[in-house]
Amino acid sequence: MTKPAEDTIAVRIARALAERIIAGTIEPGTRLRQDHIAEEFETSHVPVREAFRRLEAQGLAISEPRRGVRVASFDLSEVKEVAAMRAALEVLALRHAAPHLTAAILDKAEQARRDCDAATDVRAWEEANRRFHRTLVAPCGMKRLLATIDDLHAASARFLFSAWRSEWEARTDHDHRSILNALRNGDLETAVATLARHAQWIGERPVRTASGATRGAFAIVG
Amino acid sequence: MTKPAEDTIAVRIARALAERIIAGTIEPGTRLRQDHIAEEFETSHVPVREAFRRLEAQGLAISEPRRGVRVASFDLSEVKEVAAMRAALEVLALRHAAPHLTAAILDKAEQARRDCDAATDVRAWEEANRRFHRTLVAPCGMKRLLATIDDLHAASARFLFSAWRSEWEARTDHDHRSILNALRNGDLETAVATLARHAQWIGERPVRTASGATRGAFAIVG
DNA sequence: GCGATCAAAATTATCTATAATTTTGATCTT
DNA sequence: AAGATCAAAATTATAGATAATTTTGATCGC
């Protein structure tokens, strides 16, 4: 191991694979072969198997006994499901975070909002959007809730990158603005209602498939 | 391996340990030593480590790199957190399940409700209560959502057994009845509102600690 | 040529062994 | 006797090897 490993090797492998799956570098349905991955990361397969269990828990991979692990597939119904869960849980988190929101936190969110609107590629937008949402809900201090929301954001990002691979046009997100304004005015109910609607905003985009045909691709864009 | 292993050994170990942690057989904070557990299950420690990763994802254990795994501790704030998450997600699931609820499903829930009210010990009550909730939300067919709810129920059960160890007195749960009635009448909003309140019902009970003092123990009893 | 069948190859799941880290406990100092 | 120090023991994390299962691909029959 050339790196001064802070975390365990299994954690590093899990992170690296998660990144690839989210970015779409590895296609859904692809088999993750432990010996190949072990070789690539210059370890044995034991930490690789542990990494698989983490990916499985995040919903990024599915494992069938004796038949190995493959990158999880998804469809429109799962996109909707994740959007609905995000809406429900982020609303809950925001309600609990509200009493702890300070001017400094709202300023941080404001910066994230600006970065979001200024983003010229999908990766930058996703990062800023995630930061916006995270900043507002993190002060709730509920670890289990935040961890679940993080996993949902990972799933969201995957759907997004799958549909928008690279093209992206800058656009002003009025919901973000409304949420921030409402919070600044102490109007939690408006903020919560806007967020609930916002997180379920699903965009459609035509995507050329391998066979040359065009199909609709869906992703959460809120 | 004497058992006709359908699942992988790691899965069986994870289940067995989860049961013990939920039942309170292993105290919070206890270290889970992989070699000891491997010896007990007559395997090597490799599947044990994989089982640990599963327990970690469920929130039943926490792992510190190079310092092993221990049974997760919890406090009142986590009980509240799990209750709030359950309320939010079960409401979401019920809304999506509602269109698929049939008379047969409602009858199954009715049976679970009766078992609940008739339960004379805490384990029987927990099983029936979980069955009641599961029956009503399962028809939503949202796998990720249902899996998350299941994990929350496991946490709930743990809190409950920690506070109520064995004593339990039969009581009629009016919320269960109201939810079923509302669903039978097609009044989803009443059912949802009652469920939202119900899942956050937290009971307190005096518990004698190891030192002989008495403290309050809290658990979700809905 | 197309599908079924079976053997070889690849892959998963597990075990045993080893290196590295942390915990334990006994000793020494004050 | 209380605290610090250090070595031994226990434990975690990883590597390498093995058994069992699945997948692949070539052969055979129709």
Side-chain angles (χ1 to χ4, degrees), chain A residues 134-177:
Chain A
R134 240 277 173 192
T135 304
L136 292 180
V137 299
C140 75
M142 296 154 91
K143 288 180 68 176
R144 187 190 280 259
L145 176 56
L146 290 173
T148 307
I149 290 174
D150 284 347
D151 283 351
L152 292 172
H153 268 276
S156 280
R158 191 154 98 97
F159 304 152
L160 181 71
F161 294 146
S162 159
W164 264 264
R165 259 181 144 59
S166 53
E167 315 87 343
W168 187 259
E169 56 181 68
R171 70 199 168 88
T172 304
D173 192 318
H174 295 288
D175 281 347
H176 285 177
R177 211 184 279 263

mmCIF file of all heavy atoms in Angstrom, chain A residues 134-177:
data_model
loop_
_atom_site.group_PDB
_atom_site.id
_atom_site.type_symbol
_atom_site.label_atom_id
_atom_site.label_comp_id
_atom_site.label_asym_id
_atom_site.label_seq_id
_atom_site.Cartn_x
_atom_site.Cartn_y
_atom_site.Cartn_z
ATOM 1 N N ARG A 134 -27.600 19.791 1.765
ATOM 2 C CA ARG A 134 -26.885 19.331 2.959
ATOM 3 C C ARG A 134 -26.729 20.447 3.995
ATOM 4 O O ARG A 134 -26.920 20.243 5.180
ATOM 5 C CB ARG A 134 -25.488 18.849 2.540
ATOM 6 C CG ARG A 134 -25.189 17.418 2.847
ATOM 7 C CD ARG A 134 -24.730 17.220 4.258
ATOM 8 N NE ARG A 134 -24.591 15.796 4.584
ATOM 9 C CZ ARG A 134 -24.428 15.368 5.835
ATOM 10 N NH1 ARG A 134 -24.399 16.242 6.829
ATOM 11 N NH2 ARG A 134 -24.320 14.095 6.078
ATOM 12 N N THR A 135 -26.387 21.622 3.523
ATOM 13 C CA THR A 135 -26.169 22.752 4.420
ATOM 14 C C THR A 135 -27.426 23.067 5.227
ATOM 15 O O THR A 135 -27.347 23.337 6.426
ATOM 16 C CB THR A 135 -25.742 23.995 3.617
ATOM 17 O OG1 THR A 135 -24.585 23.673 2.849
ATOM 18 C CG2 THR A 135 -25.446 25.161 4.531
ATOM 19 N N LEU A 136 -28.564 22.991 4.576
ATOM 20 C CA LEU A 136 -29.803 23.347 5.259
ATOM 21 C C LEU A 136 -30.280 22.283 6.236
ATOM 22 O O LEU A 136 -30.882 22.607 7.267
ATOM 23 C CB LEU A 136 -30.906 23.630 4.231
ATOM 24 C CG LEU A 136 -30.689 24.901 3.397
ATOM 25 C CD1 LEU A 136 -31.844 25.078 2.418
ATOM 26 C CD2 LEU A 136 -30.551 26.124 4.297
ATOM 27 N N VAL A 137 -30.026 21.007 5.930
ATOM 28 C CA VAL A 137 -30.569 19.963 6.802
ATOM 29 C C VAL A 137 -29.577 19.478 7.863
ATOM 30 O O VAL A 137 -29.993 18.969 8.909
ATOM 31 C CB VAL A 137 -31.099 18.754 5.991
ATOM 32 C CG1 VAL A 137 -32.224 19.181 5.049
ATOM 33 C CG2 VAL A 137 -29.973 18.063 5.242
ATOM 34 N N ALA A 138 -28.277 19.668 7.623
ATOM 35 C CA ALA A 138 -27.265 19.143 8.556
ATOM 36 C C ALA A 138 -27.469 19.608 10.002
ATOM 37 O O ALA A 138 -27.259 18.815 10.928
ATOM 38 C CB ALA A 138 -25.863 19.493 8.068
ATOM 39 N N PRO A 139 -27.870 20.872 10.241
ATOM 40 C CA PRO A 139 -27.995 21.325 11.632
ATOM 41 C C PRO A 139 -29.027 20.567 12.462
ATOM 42 O O PRO A 139 -29.096 20.785 13.670
ATOM 43 C CB PRO A 139 -28.386 22.805 11.481
ATOM 44 C CG PRO A 139 -27.866 23.200 10.148
ATOM 45 C CD PRO A 139 -28.060 21.984 9.295
ATOM 46 N N CYS A 140 -29.812 19.694 11.850
ATOM 47 C CA CYS A 140 -30.755 18.902 12.647
ATOM 48 C C CYS A 140 -29.995 17.960 13.565
ATOM 49 O O CYS A 140 -30.506 17.539 14.603
ATOM 50 C CB CYS A 140 -31.705 18.112 11.754
ATOM 51 S SG CYS A 140 -30.965 16.660 10.956
ATOM 52 N N GLY A 141 -28.772 17.603 13.171
ATOM 53 C CA GLY A 141 -27.920 16.788 14.034
ATOM 54 C C GLY A 141 -28.376 15.346 14.190
ATOM 55 O O GLY A 141 -27.905 14.639 15.077
ATOM 56 N N MET A 142 -29.285 14.890 13.312
ATOM 57 C CA MET A 142 -29.774 13.519 13.438
ATOM 58 C C MET A 142 -28.959 12.631 12.502
ATOM 59 O O MET A 142 -29.164 12.621 11.284
ATOM 60 C CB MET A 142 -31.264 13.478 13.082
ATOM 61 C CG MET A 142 -32.095 14.302 14.063
ATOM 62 S SD MET A 142 -33.639 14.917 13.347
ATOM 63 C CE MET A 142 -34.767 13.592 13.754
ATOM 64 N N LYS A 143 -28.065 11.855 13.107
ATOM 65 C CA LYS A 143 -27.077 11.129 12.313
ATOM 66 C C LYS A 143 -27.667 10.085 11.376
ATOM 67 O O LYS A 143 -27.287 9.981 10.215
ATOM 68 C CB LYS A 143 -26.049 10.457 13.237
ATOM 69 C CG LYS A 143 -25.113 11.452 13.888
ATOM 70 C CD LYS A 143 -24.122 10.764 14.797
ATOM 71 C CE LYS A 143 -23.142 9.900 13.993
ATOM 72 N NZ LYS A 143 -22.100 9.306 14.877
ATOM 73 N N ARG A 144 -28.585 9.315 11.916
ATOM 74 C CA ARG A 144 -29.170 8.250 11.106
ATOM 75 C C ARG A 144 -29.941 8.852 9.938
ATOM 76 O O ARG A 144 -29.811 8.409 8.793
ATOM 77 C CB ARG A 144 -30.098 7.399 11.971
ATOM 78 C CG ARG A 144 -30.636 6.170 11.271
ATOM 79 C CD ARG A 144 -31.729 5.515 12.087
ATOM 80 N NE ARG A 144 -31.208 4.689 13.159
ATOM 81 C CZ ARG A 144 -31.131 3.356 13.094
ATOM 82 N NH1 ARG A 144 -31.515 2.721 11.996
ATOM 83 N NH2 ARG A 144 -30.701 2.659 14.109
ATOM 84 N N LEU A 145 -30.697 9.890 10.221
ATOM 85 C CA LEU A 145 -31.470 10.567 9.173
ATOM 86 C C LEU A 145 -30.556 11.136 8.101
ATOM 87 O O LEU A 145 -30.789 10.955 6.898
ATOM 88 C CB LEU A 145 -32.308 11.683 9.810
ATOM 89 C CG LEU A 145 -33.130 12.579 8.892
ATOM 90 C CD1 LEU A 145 -34.068 11.757 8.020
ATOM 91 C CD2 LEU A 145 -33.917 13.594 9.703
ATOM 92 N N LEU A 146 -29.495 11.798 8.518
ATOM 93 C CA LEU A 146 -28.578 12.406 7.553
ATOM 94 C C LEU A 146 -27.879 11.340 6.704
ATOM 95 O O LEU A 146 -27.667 11.531 5.500
ATOM 96 C CB LEU A 146 -27.555 13.284 8.282
ATOM 97 C CG LEU A 146 -28.138 14.568 8.886
ATOM 98 C CD1 LEU A 146 -27.095 15.291 9.724
ATOM 99 C CD2 LEU A 146 -28.680 15.496 7.794
ATOM 100 N N ALA A 147 -27.531 10.231 7.338
ATOM 101 C CA ALA A 147 -26.879 9.155 6.582
ATOM 102 C C ALA A 147 -27.825 8.606 5.516
ATOM 103 O O ALA A 147 -27.419 8.353 4.378
ATOM 104 C CB ALA A 147 -26.445 8.039 7.532
ATOM 105 N N THR A 148 -29.088 8.443 5.873
ATOM 106 C CA THR A 148 -30.068 7.940 4.909
ATOM 107 C C THR A 148 -30.243 8.931 3.764
ATOM 108 O O THR A 148 -30.292 8.547 2.594
ATOM 109 C CB THR A 148 -31.419 7.681 5.607
ATOM 110 O OG1 THR A 148 -31.213 6.854 6.735
ATOM 111 C CG2 THR A 148 -32.409 7.024 4.661
ATOM 112 N N ILE A 149 -30.318 10.206 4.092
ATOM 113 C CA ILE A 149 -30.460 11.235 3.056
ATOM 114 C C ILE A 149 -29.240 11.228 2.136
ATOM 115 O O ILE A 149 -29.371 11.349 0.915
ATOM 116 C CB ILE A 149 -30.667 12.622 3.708
ATOM 117 C CG1 ILE A 149 -32.048 12.700 4.362
ATOM 118 C CG2 ILE A 149 -30.508 13.734 2.667
ATOM 119 C CD1 ILE A 149 -32.291 13.974 5.166
ATOM 120 N N ASP A 150 -28.059 11.063 2.706
ATOM 121 C CA ASP A 150 -26.839 11.008 1.882
ATOM 122 C C ASP A 150 -26.909 9.876 0.867
ATOM 123 O O ASP A 150 -26.552 10.051 -0.298
ATOM 124 C CB ASP A 150 -25.600 10.842 2.771
ATOM 125 C CG ASP A 150 -25.217 12.150 3.456
ATOM 126 O OD1 ASP A 150 -25.745 13.206 3.048
ATOM 127 O OD2 ASP A 150 -24.401 12.114 4.392
ATOM 128 N N ASP A 151 -27.363 8.704 1.324
ATOM 129 C CA ASP A 151 -27.482 7.576 0.406
ATOM 130 C C ASP A 151 -28.475 7.895 -0.715
ATOM 131 O O ASP A 151 -28.260 7.517 -1.867
ATOM 132 C CB ASP A 151 -27.941 6.321 1.161
ATOM 133 C CG ASP A 151 -26.810 5.682 1.942
ATOM 134 O OD1 ASP A 151 -25.650 6.114 1.757
ATOM 135 O OD2 ASP A 151 -27.073 4.762 2.738
ATOM 136 N N LEU A 152 -29.547 8.578 -0.367
ATOM 137 C CA LEU A 152 -30.542 8.928 -1.387
ATOM 138 C C LEU A 152 -29.964 9.923 -2.388
ATOM 139 O O LEU A 152 -30.257 9.855 -3.583
ATOM 140 C CB LEU A 152 -31.798 9.503 -0.714
ATOM 141 C CG LEU A 152 -32.599 8.503 0.122
ATOM 142 C CD1 LEU A 152 -33.695 9.207 0.906
ATOM 143 C CD2 LEU A 152 -33.209 7.421 -0.760
ATOM 144 N N HIS A 153 -29.128 10.842 -1.891
ATOM 145 C CA HIS A 153 -28.491 11.793 -2.798
ATOM 146 C C HIS A 153 -27.530 11.071 -3.738
ATOM 147 O O HIS A 153 -27.409 11.437 -4.915
ATOM 148 C CB HIS A 153 -27.754 12.884 -2.013
ATOM 149 C CG HIS A 153 -28.601 14.076 -1.754
ATOM 150 N ND1 HIS A 153 -28.761 15.092 -2.667
ATOM 151 C CD2 HIS A 153 -29.364 14.408 -0.695
ATOM 152 C CE1 HIS A 153 -29.594 16.003 -2.165
ATOM 153 N NE2 HIS A 153 -29.967 15.612 -0.968
ATOM 154 N N ALA A 154 -26.855 10.058 -3.240
ATOM 155 C CA ALA A 154 -25.964 9.272 -4.097
ATOM 156 C C ALA A 154 -26.772 8.623 -5.221
ATOM 157 O O ALA A 154 -26.374 8.653 -6.388
ATOM 158 C CB ALA A 154 -25.237 8.210 -3.269
ATOM 159 N N ALA A 155 -27.921 8.062 -4.854
ATOM 160 C CA ALA A 155 -28.788 7.455 -5.859
ATOM 161 C C ALA A 155 -29.260 8.515 -6.858
ATOM 162 O O ALA A 155 -29.213 8.306 -8.072
ATOM 163 C CB ALA A 155 -29.978 6.772 -5.186
ATOM 164 N N SER A 156 -29.677 9.653 -6.350
ATOM 165 C CA SER A 156 -30.115 10.764 -7.211
ATOM 166 C C SER A 156 -29.042 11.136 -8.212
ATOM 167 O O SER A 156 -29.315 11.298 -9.408
ATOM 168 C CB SER A 156 -30.418 12.007 -6.367
ATOM 169 O OG SER A 156 -31.678 11.931 -5.777
ATOM 170 N N ALA A 157 -27.837 11.276 -7.715
ATOM 171 C CA ALA A 157 -26.723 11.679 -8.576
ATOM 172 C C ALA A 157 -26.528 10.660 -9.692
ATOM 173 O O ALA A 157 -26.275 11.013 -10.838
ATOM 174 C CB ALA A 157 -25.453 11.823 -7.744
ATOM 175 N N ARG A 158 -26.673 9.400 -9.337
ATOM 176 C CA ARG A 158 -26.514 8.347 -10.336
ATOM 177 C C ARG A 158 -27.555 8.479 -11.441
ATOM 178 O O ARG A 158 -27.237 8.410 -12.636
ATOM 179 C CB ARG A 158 -26.646 6.992 -9.655
ATOM 180 C CG ARG A 158 -26.253 5.844 -10.519
ATOM 181 C CD ARG A 158 -25.815 4.701 -9.657
ATOM 182 N NE ARG A 158 -26.846 3.729 -9.449
ATOM 183 C CZ ARG A 158 -26.958 2.609 -10.173
ATOM 184 N NH1 ARG A 158 -26.141 2.389 -11.180
ATOM 185 N NH2 ARG A 158 -27.886 1.737 -9.905
ATOM 186 N N PHE A 159 -28.792 8.682 -11.067
ATOM 187 C CA PHE A 159 -29.858 8.850 -12.047
ATOM 188 C C PHE A 159 -29.537 10.047 -12.936
ATOM 189 O O PHE A 159 -29.666 9.996 -14.161
ATOM 190 C CB PHE A 159 -31.202 9.082 -11.362
ATOM 191 C CG PHE A 159 -31.596 8.013 -10.388
ATOM 192 C CD1 PHE A 159 -32.415 8.301 -9.300
ATOM 193 C CD2 PHE A 159 -31.146 6.705 -10.551
ATOM 194 C CE1 PHE A 159 -32.777 7.314 -8.401
ATOM 195 C CE2 PHE A 159 -31.502 5.713 -9.655
ATOM 196 C CZ PHE A 159 -32.323 6.024 -8.570
ATOM 197 N N LEU A 160 -29.119 11.126 -12.293
ATOM 198 C CA LEU A 160 -28.833 12.364 -13.018
ATOM 199 C C LEU A 160 -27.730 12.164 -14.047
ATOM 200 O O LEU A 160 -27.889 12.508 -15.227
ATOM 201 C CB LEU A 160 -28.421 13.440 -12.012
ATOM 202 C CG LEU A 160 -28.119 14.812 -12.594
ATOM 203 C CD1 LEU A 160 -29.398 15.483 -13.058
ATOM 204 C CD2 LEU A 160 -27.414 15.681 -11.561
ATOM 205 N N PHE A 161 -26.609 11.601 -13.621
ATOM 206 C CA PHE A 161 -25.467 11.431 -14.529
ATOM 207 C C PHE A 161 -25.817 10.452 -15.649
ATOM 208 O O PHE A 161 -25.277 10.543 -16.754
ATOM 209 C CB PHE A 161 -24.236 10.953 -13.775
ATOM 210 C CG PHE A 161 -23.722 11.965 -12.797
ATOM 211 C CD1 PHE A 161 -23.140 11.562 -11.603
ATOM 212 C CD2 PHE A 161 -23.823 13.333 -13.058
ATOM 213 C CE1 PHE A 161 -22.661 12.497 -10.687
ATOM 214 C CE2 PHE A 161 -23.353 14.265 -12.143
ATOM 215 C CZ PHE A 161 -22.780 13.845 -10.966
ATOM 216 N N SER A 162 -26.703 9.519 -15.335
ATOM 217 C CA SER A 162 -27.113 8.558 -16.347
ATOM 218 C C SER A 162 -27.884 9.249 -17.472
ATOM 219 O O SER A 162 -27.744 8.911 -18.644
ATOM 220 C CB SER A 162 -27.986 7.484 -15.699
ATOM 221 O OG SER A 162 -28.773 6.830 -16.662
ATOM 222 N N ALA A 163 -28.668 10.249 -17.111
ATOM 223 C CA ALA A 163 -29.489 10.930 -18.104
ATOM 224 C C ALA A 163 -28.741 12.084 -18.771
ATOM 225 O O ALA A 163 -28.878 12.330 -19.964
ATOM 226 C CB ALA A 163 -30.770 11.449 -17.448
ATOM 227 N N TRP A 164 -27.951 12.809 -17.974
ATOM 228 C CA TRP A 164 -27.341 14.043 -18.472
ATOM 229 C C TRP A 164 -25.857 13.941 -18.788
ATOM 230 O O TRP A 164 -25.198 14.948 -18.977
ATOM 231 C CB TRP A 164 -27.559 15.186 -17.470
ATOM 232 C CG TRP A 164 -28.746 16.020 -17.805
ATOM 233 C CD1 TRP A 164 -28.746 17.185 -18.501
ATOM 234 C CD2 TRP A 164 -30.108 15.781 -17.440
ATOM 235 N NE1 TRP A 164 -30.014 17.676 -18.597
ATOM 236 C CE2 TRP A 164 -30.885 16.830 -17.968
ATOM 237 C CE3 TRP A 164 -30.775 14.770 -16.738
ATOM 238 C CZ2 TRP A 164 -32.263 16.920 -17.789
ATOM 239 C CZ3 TRP A 164 -32.139 14.846 -16.567
ATOM 240 C CH2 TRP A 164 -32.870 15.904 -17.090
ATOM 241 N N ARG A 165 -25.334 12.761 -18.781
ATOM 242 C CA ARG A 165 -23.892 12.513 -18.944
ATOM 243 C C ARG A 165 -22.990 13.735 -18.941
ATOM 244 O O ARG A 165 -22.205 13.915 -18.045
ATOM 245 C CB ARG A 165 -23.651 11.670 -20.184
ATOM 246 C CG ARG A 165 -23.416 10.212 -19.773
ATOM 247 C CD ARG A 165 -23.138 9.295 -20.899
ATOM 248 N NE ARG A 165 -22.175 8.297 -20.480
ATOM 249 C CZ ARG A 165 -22.340 7.443 -19.472
ATOM 250 N NH1 ARG A 165 -23.422 7.493 -18.742
ATOM 251 N NH2 ARG A 165 -21.411 6.564 -19.167
ATOM 252 N N SER A 166 -23.113 14.644 -19.901
ATOM 253 C CA SER A 166 -22.194 15.791 -19.867
ATOM 254 C C SER A 166 -22.891 17.127 -20.120
ATOM 255 O O SER A 166 -22.587 18.121 -19.477
ATOM 256 C CB SER A 166 -21.079 15.605 -20.890
ATOM 257 O OG SER A 166 -21.642 15.342 -22.161
ATOM 258 N N GLU A 167 -23.843 17.165 -21.044
ATOM 259 C CA GLU A 167 -24.468 18.444 -21.391
ATOM 260 C C GLU A 167 -25.239 19.025 -20.211
ATOM 261 O O GLU A 167 -25.886 18.315 -19.467
ATOM 262 C CB GLU A 167 -25.436 18.280 -22.577
ATOM 263 C CG GLU A 167 -24.884 17.452 -23.708
ATOM 264 C CD GLU A 167 -25.139 15.959 -23.507
ATOM 265 O OE1 GLU A 167 -25.447 15.557 -22.370
ATOM 266 O OE2 GLU A 167 -25.019 15.226 -24.492
ATOM 267 N N TRP A 168 -25.183 20.320 -20.083
ATOM 268 C CA TRP A 168 -25.918 20.995 -19.010
ATOM 269 C C TRP A 168 -26.005 22.470 -19.358
ATOM 270 O O TRP A 168 -25.040 23.062 -19.832
ATOM 271 C CB TRP A 168 -25.206 20.841 -17.666
ATOM 272 C CG TRP A 168 -26.018 21.379 -16.528
ATOM 273 C CD1 TRP A 168 -25.869 22.568 -15.894
ATOM 274 C CD2 TRP A 168 -27.114 20.733 -15.877
ATOM 275 N NE1 TRP A 168 -26.800 22.712 -14.906
ATOM 276 C CE2 TRP A 168 -27.588 21.593 -14.871
ATOM 277 C CE3 TRP A 168 -27.754 19.495 -16.061
ATOM 278 C CZ2 TRP A 168 -28.656 21.272 -14.048
ATOM 279 C CZ3 TRP A 168 -28.822 19.188 -15.241
ATOM 280 C CH2 TRP A 168 -29.259 20.053 -14.237
ATOM 281 N N GLU A 169 -27.161 23.036 -19.173
ATOM 282 C CA GLU A 169 -27.232 24.480 -19.379
ATOM 283 C C GLU A 169 -27.584 25.169 -18.071
ATOM 284 O O GLU A 169 -28.443 24.707 -17.321
ATOM 285 C CB GLU A 169 -28.242 24.834 -20.473
ATOM 286 C CG GLU A 169 -29.642 24.306 -20.263
ATOM 287 C CD GLU A 169 -30.558 24.697 -21.432
ATOM 288 O OE1 GLU A 169 -30.355 24.183 -22.554
ATOM 289 O OE2 GLU A 169 -31.441 25.532 -21.217
ATOM 290 N N ALA A 170 -26.880 26.246 -17.809
ATOM 291 C CA ALA A 170 -27.096 26.987 -16.568
ATOM 292 C C ALA A 170 -28.541 27.476 -16.521
ATOM 293 O O ALA A 170 -29.117 27.859 -17.533
ATOM 294 C CB ALA A 170 -26.133 28.165 -16.495
ATOM 295 N N ARG A 171 -29.149 27.380 -15.353
ATOM 296 C CA ARG A 171 -30.522 27.866 -15.204
ATOM 297 C C ARG A 171 -30.711 28.318 -13.769
ATOM 298 O O ARG A 171 -30.082 27.797 -12.849
ATOM 299 C CB ARG A 171 -31.504 26.754 -15.553
ATOM 300 C CG ARG A 171 -31.504 25.647 -14.534
ATOM 301 C CD ARG A 171 -32.102 24.374 -15.066
ATOM 302 N NE ARG A 171 -31.816 23.294 -14.130
ATOM 303 C CZ ARG A 171 -32.608 23.002 -13.087
ATOM 304 N NH1 ARG A 171 -33.721 23.649 -12.893
ATOM 305 N NH2 ARG A 171 -32.272 22.047 -12.247
ATOM 306 N N THR A 172 -31.580 29.264 -13.587
ATOM 307 C CA THR A 172 -31.832 29.762 -12.240
ATOM 308 C C THR A 172 -32.880 28.887 -11.577
ATOM 309 O O THR A 172 -33.937 28.642 -12.141
ATOM 310 C CB THR A 172 -32.338 31.213 -12.286
ATOM 311 O OG1 THR A 172 -31.384 31.992 -13.001
ATOM 312 C CG2 THR A 172 -32.499 31.760 -10.887
ATOM 313 N N ASP A 173 -32.536 28.391 -10.395
ATOM 314 C CA ASP A 173 -33.467 27.541 -9.665
ATOM 315 C C ASP A 173 -34.272 28.402 -8.703
ATOM 316 O O ASP A 173 -33.785 28.816 -7.661
ATOM 317 C CB ASP A 173 -32.690 26.455 -8.914
ATOM 318 C CG ASP A 173 -33.621 25.379 -8.385
ATOM 319 O OD1 ASP A 173 -34.697 25.732 -7.873
ATOM 320 O OD2 ASP A 173 -33.281 24.184 -8.509
ATOM 321 N N HIS A 174 -35.529 28.682 -9.092
ATOM 322 C CA HIS A 174 -36.350 29.573 -8.275
ATOM 323 C C HIS A 174 -36.743 28.945 -6.950
ATOM 324 O O HIS A 174 -36.928 29.644 -5.958
ATOM 325 C CB HIS A 174 -37.595 29.988 -9.069
ATOM 326 C CG HIS A 174 -37.243 30.807 -10.268
ATOM 327 N ND1 HIS A 174 -36.789 32.114 -10.168
ATOM 328 C CD2 HIS A 174 -37.235 30.526 -11.590
ATOM 329 C CE1 HIS A 174 -36.541 32.571 -11.375
ATOM 330 N NE2 HIS A 174 -36.789 31.635 -12.267
ATOM 331 N N ASP A 175 -36.856 27.613 -6.923
ATOM 332 C CA ASP A 175 -37.194 26.941 -5.673
ATOM 333 C C ASP A 175 -36.135 27.199 -4.610
ATOM 334 O O ASP A 175 -36.450 27.494 -3.456
ATOM 335 C CB ASP A 175 -37.337 25.434 -5.903
ATOM 336 C CG ASP A 175 -38.685 25.080 -6.525
ATOM 337 O OD1 ASP A 175 -39.559 25.964 -6.541
ATOM 338 O OD2 ASP A 175 -38.834 23.944 -6.992
ATOM 339 N N HIS A 176 -34.879 27.048 -5.004
ATOM 340 C CA HIS A 176 -33.793 27.284 -4.040
ATOM 341 C C HIS A 176 -33.916 28.673 -3.432
ATOM 342 O O HIS A 176 -33.790 28.865 -2.229
ATOM 343 C CB HIS A 176 -32.435 27.137 -4.732
ATOM 344 C CG HIS A 176 -32.051 25.713 -5.013
ATOM 345 N ND1 HIS A 176 -30.903 25.363 -5.670
ATOM 346 C CD2 HIS A 176 -32.667 24.536 -4.704
ATOM 347 C CE1 HIS A 176 -30.821 24.046 -5.754
ATOM 348 N NE2 HIS A 176 -31.887 23.524 -5.189
ATOM 349 N N ARG A 177 -34.180 29.650 -4.318
ATOM 350 C CA ARG A 177 -34.312 31.028 -3.869
ATOM 351 C C ARG A 177 -35.482 31.159 -2.890
ATOM 352 O O ARG A 177 -35.355 31.781 -1.822
ATOM 353 C CB ARG A 177 -34.537 31.926 -5.098
ATOM 354 C CG ARG A 177 -33.978 33.322 -4.956
ATOM 355 C CD ARG A 177 -34.327 34.146 -6.171
ATOM 356 N NE ARG A 177 -33.443 33.909 -7.314
ATOM 357 C CZ ARG A 177 -32.400 34.701 -7.586
ATOM 358 N NH1 ARG A 177 -32.111 35.736 -6.827
ATOM 359 N NH2 ARG A 177 -31.648 34.442 -8.641
#
